[in-house]
Amino acid sequence: MRTRREGRLVRATLDRPPVNALDMASYRWLGETCAAMRPDECLLIDAAGHVFSAGHDRGEDATAGGLTVGAAALTAVLRCPAPVVAAAQGPAIGAGALLLAAADIPLIAADAWLKLPELDVGVTVGHAILSRLLPPAMASRALLTSEQIPAAGLDAVLVRPPDELARAAEDAARTLLAKPSDLVSLARRSWGERERAAAAYESEVADFQARRR
């Protein structure tokens, strides 16, 4: 996992071959990166290789400690003091799709896709965050069926040609940085949408863990 500062732009790159699976260390890195951001900065999350993220590392338990740490990382993105841009250059699966959905400005390559195999691996959470990227009914279907969702099925404003994605993400970040940071910060707080999504997701996780005991 790599973090690079370019002035007020902070680039956080998932670089965990072969598929950027998220383990405990990755989640903690993500949470710590978000916590260290200032309101006048912008966080750009991207990834190396051909897969944005295959989601939770199957080598770690997704239903106990892994879920708790992963949920904390995703809510940290939603509560990041700085605006967040995410660029998925390839498949975004499970927690990878939720990470994309947690961004203020999510962008995805036209040849990429999403998949939410949560029920297949024994968890039921994610609807509150996924509904930021998909209409609620489509989010429900994606989680219940684990169907693959092509980028073409998303809002066209989020989709970019593969060779234009990196530039589009950086342009989006630079556009945010050009705005008055106090107004960007006020808007993100006063709308309340991100906090509602974070709280709803935490409620999903808590309810799932309570019912599994």
Side-chain angles (χ1 to χ4, degrees):
M1 320 306 284
R2 296 184 276 113
T3 306
R4 184 171 76 249
R5 179 175 294 279
E6 303 168 10
R8 292 189 295 127
L9 173 61
V10 177
R11 190 184 300 271
T13 301
L14 307 176
D15 190 2
R16 192 167 183 261
V19 292
N20 295 320
L22 298 166
D23 63 356
M24 298 289 199
S26 305
Y27 289 132
R28 293 191 179 98
W29 163 81
L30 187 59
E32 290 167 1
T33 298
C34 290
M37 296 295 297
R38 303 193 313 261
D40 65 334
E41 297 175 324
C42 183
L43 178 61
L44 172 54
I45 300 173
D46 59 12
H50 300 294
V51 177
F52 176 66
S53 175
H56 188 83
D57 191 327
R58 295 293 183 89
E60 296 184 345
D61 186 0
T63 62
L67 179 58
T68 299
V69 176
L74 291 169
T75 55
V77 176
L78 286 166
R79 291 174 171 138
C80 184
V84 180
V85 176
Q89 85 291 3
I93 303 168
L98 297 182
L99 174 56
L100 179 66
D104 291 273
I105 301 180
L107 297 170
I108 187 169
D111 58 354
W113 44 268
L114 309 178
K115 187 171 184 178
L116 281 297
E118 312 308 274
L119 270 65
D120 296 341
V121 297
V123 296
T124 63
V125 304
H127 193 275
I129 298 180
L130 190 61
S131 294
R132 303 187 68 253
L133 188 63
L134 303 175
M138 186 181 290
S140 296
R141 175 171 174 167
L143 285 161
L144 288 170
T145 67
S146 303
E147 293 175 347
Q148 185 170 305
I149 303 169
L154 305 180
D155 191 320
V157 74
L158 308 178
V159 183
R160 295 292 186 276
D163 59 350
E164 297 178 13
L165 179 70
R167 175 55 63 88
E170 183 161 342
D171 286 349
R174 299 290 182 192
T175 296
L176 289 172
L177 288 171
K179 304 288 185 184
S181 60
D182 58 335
L183 292 182
V184 171
S185 181
L186 176 60
R188 295 175 75 243
R189 293 196 314 271
S190 62
W191 294 338
E193 178 271 330
R194 300 181 67 78
E195 177 56 34
R196 286 193 295 273
Y201 179 60
E202 288 172 330
S203 179
E204 286 182 44
V205 172
D207 184 64
F208 170 76
Q209 291 177 323
R211 292 174 185 273
R212 293 283 291 186
R213 292 193 185 104

